[in-house]
Amino acid sequence: MRYVCLLALLLPLLPARAQDGAAMYKERCASCHDKPQARVPSLAAIKAMSAEAVYGVLTNGVMKSRVEGLSSPEIFALIGYIAPTGGAHMEGAGLTATCKGGGAFRLAPDSPQWNGWSTTVTNSRFADAHAAGLLASDVPKLKLKWAFNLGDATVARSQPTIAGGRVFIATQTGVVYALDTDSGCTRWGFQAGPGIRSGVTVGEANGTPAVFFGDGGANMYALNAQTGTLIWKVHPTEHFATIATATPRYYKGVVYQPFASFEEALGGDPKNACCTFRGSVVALDASTGKTIWHTYTIAEAAQPTHKSGAGVQQSGPSGAGIWSSPTIDEQLGLLYVATGDNYSDPPTQTSDAILAMEMKTGRLQWSKQLTENDAFNNGCAIPIPGNCPQAKGSDYDFGQPPILVSLAEGKRALVIGQKSGMVHAVDPDQKGKILWQTRAGEGGALGGSQWGSATDGKNVYVAISDVGIGGVADPKSPQGFRLTLDPKKGGGLKALNLETGKILWSTASATACAAERSDCSPAQSAAVSAIPGVVFSGAVDGHLRAYSTGTGEILWDMNTAREYETVNGKARGGSMDSGGPAIAGGMVFVNSGYGQWGGMPGNVLLAFSVSEK
């Protein structure tokens, strides 16, 4: 449902209640958004959204709990304070089909595709020569073929999926689109819940090609891939703070969906009782959405523990959310996931860990923790006695999945990068025994290796964030300051040998930020993607670069942070983060825009090919 008409009528009436809106913001929102930590957006970033989008997030999205108990006039007063310009925002994208003609959607197994988070169930993020349709020699010739406006958004984070001649993309405003790969025209659009953070995956539901995904409210959907009509919608988990950030994995009639939450961010409010969420994976029947099994990353539910310094009840254990897609071990029938940190005391042994679950039952086979005692929430970043755990961990959780690789002499490994800056290889056949560990980055709450690495079977390619974030006084900002990014700190790409973990080459960040820019950073947080001879990596400075897998030399560099005339109106590129490029059928598809923690907002999907026509 669209709310623009209602808000257009009401917003002119709101200035008289601006004082009420400011007071409600201070009471319910300021503790997190005035001094944002981790991935919490600043108030300035939120103000770049329209009132319509803010309304959706507050009433149906991840911030629904923050307006609980408010009347509609009070919610509108709050919106009037947060988004006073109302309709002064980027033009939105419509849901109307614009493609003319075209046959039925077919998911041919041998057709070029990038289905979900990765081309393979092992999460290699590697497209072979046939699937990629690109040679290393073609990459320097890549040009923009078309661009698509993702609507009223400041963050473009979803991993594109390529299948059956379609690009499937989800948006911050809760829309899923099916676009024609060749032209970018719209086959269909579906309005789901607001704030879709994940990508989608394509499989089958009762023999019908289907698109599966989760929204910001932890609802799961199956859509007809040809028409975009709803097949089923379920809500398999109940905690109020649950979100689906991980792209689901479809495998042999089952959809596997991990869950994380935003409760860690709510811990920044000393009045908020922290914390009760625990991460989980749900297995759903792809035909009906019925839950087959549901396994938590923490076996025991949270219980009351003690009162905080602010006198608020604390609970635990909690946390260990899963931010990334599952990895499938077809040989052993196991599902591997990587977990985040704990949110409260006591710390558990399943946080910051790789977990192995039986695919049929969800039963935990083994776990391997790679950082101990990492209990952290946003209360650790404020001076007020509140929700910060006694452990006060480093927030070194895993944002990416483990990659299952084959080694010499029949051995195997799970390889994964961490926000700590470490890259680990563990043995899946010996319950996670450590094979090697290599420091690739400095590490930090938004540092180290963030969203995803890639492998060509010889090396693993790891991008480094290590972003530098600060703040400066700004009298024009509602909170009196604004976040700034260090234009010289962070970034870089490394190639590590899969057998030994030895760093084979390291390419420093290609600094493209002007010294006077405060929203530009060389950090490389986004997931990387590879084809034979080339690895692609996007950066917070808005550049998408292609590197030689043999030497680390930059073969191609495209600045995406600019305005675009798209197939459906004007849009803008910005910082690149979260999901990475999808490469299939001779084309490269990538999002641009990430207006969090001081980055450059944007709302565009870009399609590159050697030929512009």
Side-chain angles (χ1 to χ4, degrees):
M1 180 178 178
R2 308 282 288 180
Y3 304 99
V4 64
C5 296
L6 176 62
L7 290 170
L9 291 171
L10 288 175
L11 280 172
L13 305 177
L14 295 179
R17 299 205 59 177
Q19 188 69 29
D20 294 342
M24 283 183 284
Y25 173 82
K26 183 177 181 180
E27 177 185 354
R28 293 171 178 257
C29 313
S31 60
C32 290
H33 296 291
D34 276 5
K35 295 183 178 180
Q37 300 293 322
R39 298 188 178 275
V40 177
S42 67
L43 179 58
I46 297 171
K47 282 180 177 292
M49 300 170 65
S50 72
E52 176 190 0
V54 174
Y55 180 85
V57 172
L58 289 177
T59 58
N60 290 296
V62 296
M63 291 292 105
K64 185 176 181 180
S65 65
R66 307 312 291 162
V67 296
E68 186 175 349
L70 294 183
S71 65
S72 293
E74 287 173 326
I75 292 175
F76 288 134
L78 176 60
I79 294 170
Y81 175 74
I82 294 175
T85 57
H89 58 86
M90 299 176 184
E91 181 181 351
L95 302 181
T96 305
T98 61
C99 294
K100 298 179 180 179
F105 176 84
R106 292 182 62 251
L107 187 62
D110 58 346
S111 64
Q113 56 183 273
W114 187 292
N115 193 349
W117 183 252
S118 174
T119 53
T120 62
V121 296
T122 60
N123 277 325
S124 65
R125 294 191 64 85
F126 176 80
D128 62 24
H130 170 72
L134 285 175
L135 301 175
S137 57
D138 295 325
V139 171
K141 306 171 190 175
L142 286 171
K143 300 176 182 178
L144 182 66
K145 187 169 185 177
W146 54 261
F148 184 82
N149 172 4
L150 295 170
D152 183 23
T154 59
V155 172
R157 60 172 297 146
S158 175
Q159 173 65 47
T161 281
I162 316 301
R166 307 283 194 271
V167 186
F168 298 97
I169 192 72
T171 73
Q172 186 185 23
T173 58
V175 180
V176 176
Y177 291 101
L179 311 176
D180 183 80
T181 54
D182 190 56
S183 68
C185 67
T186 301
R187 293 287 178 182
W188 52 258
F190 177 86
Q191 178 69 63
I196 299 177
R197 300 162 57 88
S198 74
V200 309
T201 190
V202 179
E204 288 189 351
N206 275 328
T208 299
V211 175
F212 304 96
F213 64 95
D215 68 16
N219 299 299
M220 296 296 300
Y221 301 77
L223 308 180
N224 183 302
Q226 169 69 19
T227 64
T229 55
L230 182 67
I231 299 173
W232 52 255
K233 175 184 176 182
V234 297
H235 188 70
T237 183
E238 292 303 323
H239 194 280
F240 76 95
T242 306
I243 53 176
T245 295
T247 299
R249 171 69 64 193
Y250 171 88
Y251 185 76
K252 293 185 177 180
V254 180
V255 177
Y256 299 95
Q257 177 66 59
F259 291 110
S261 87
F262 60 88
E263 193 178 29
E264 182 177 14
L266 297 181
D269 181 356
K271 298 178 182 178
N272 183 68
C274 188
C275 290
T276 57
F277 170 84
R278 48 183 174 152
S280 66
V281 181
V282 63
L284 305 175
D285 184 301
S287 295
T288 64
K290 182 180 178 180
T291 297
I292 299 171
W293 55 258
H294 190 174
T295 298
Y296 291 97
T297 58
I298 301 173
E300 65 271 27
Q303 300 295 327
T305 54
H306 64 281
K307 294 287 184 71
S308 72
V312 176
Q313 180 65 56
Q314 304 292 284
S315 299
S318 65
I322 305 170
W323 300 97
S324 57
S325 291
T327 299
I328 289 178
D329 187 336
E330 295 178 298
Q331 178 178 317
L332 297 180
L334 296 179
L335 193 79
Y336 303 116
V337 293
T339 63
D341 55 9
N342 291 121
Y343 300 164
S344 58
D345 295 317
T348 67
Q349 293 183 337
T350 51
S351 63
D352 293 8
I354 297 174
L355 276 56
M357 301 175 181
E358 292 180 356
M359 292 179 65
K360 290 185 178 180
T361 66
R363 187 172 70 88
L364 183 65
Q365 278 263 358
W366 57 262
S367 65
K368 180 63 179 180
Q369 188 172 55
L370 294 165
T371 299
E372 297 179 350
N373 298 317
D374 190 10
F376 171 91
N377 64 59
N378 282 24
C380 298
I382 63 174
I384 303 171
N387 293 320
C388 184
Q390 293 180 0
K392 200 174 184 179
S394 300
D395 192 17
Y396 280 166
D397 48 348
F398 287 105
Q400 61 189 269
I403 305 173
L404 181 61
V405 299
S406 297
L407 304 178
E409 300 178 354
K411 295 182 179 180
R412 305 188 305 160
L414 289 165
V415 180
I416 188 169
Q418 191 175 0
K419 286 166 59 178
S420 63
M422 299 297 294
V423 183
H424 313 268
V426 304
D427 190 337
D429 301 308
Q430 297 190 61
K431 297 185 177 181
K433 176 184 177 182
I434 293 175
L435 299 175
W436 54 258
Q437 293 176 301
T438 301
R439 176 161 293 283
E442 178 182 317
L446 290 174
S449 181
Q450 291 262 342
W451 287 110
S453 305
T455 179
D456 55 10
K458 297 179 181 179
N459 306 324
V460 60
Y461 304 97
V462 180
I464 300 300
S465 172
D466 287 348
V467 63
I469 301 179
V472 296
D474 184 356
K476 296 181 180 180
S477 172
Q479 58 266 54
F481 86 103
R482 57 184 170 85
L483 292 177
T484 60
L485 300 179
D486 189 329
K488 296 183 179 180
K489 186 180 187 313
L493 185 72
K494 292 177 169 61
L496 282 67
N497 180 274
L498 285 177
E499 298 281 347
T500 64
K502 179 182 178 182
I503 296 178
L504 303 177
W505 53 256
S506 177
T507 301
S509 60
T511 303
C513 300
E516 64 272 13
R517 292 290 298 270
S518 63
D519 58 357
C520 186
S521 165
Q524 290 170 240
S525 303
V528 301
S529 308
I531 64 173
V534 182
V535 57
F536 293 85
S537 176
V540 177
D541 64 12
H543 284 248
L544 177 64
R545 300 179 178 91
Y547 300 75
S548 165
T549 58
T551 65
E553 174 191 1
I554 296 176
L555 306 175
W556 177 75
D557 188 339
M558 176 64 64
N559 183 7
T560 71
R562 63 177 180 85
E563 290 188 353
Y564 294 88
E565 288 290 344
T566 77
V567 297
N568 59 330
K570 291 183 179 180
R572 182 167 187 83
S575 296
M576 307 184 85
D577 206 334
S578 194
I583 307 111
M587 297 183 69
V588 178
F589 304 87
V590 70
N591 283 319
S592 180
Y594 208 85
Q596 288 193 355
W597 43 265
M600 295 178 281
N603 65 334
V604 70
L605 171 68
L606 304 172
F608 298 94
S609 72
V610 173
S611 171
E612 296 181 40
K613 297 182 180 180

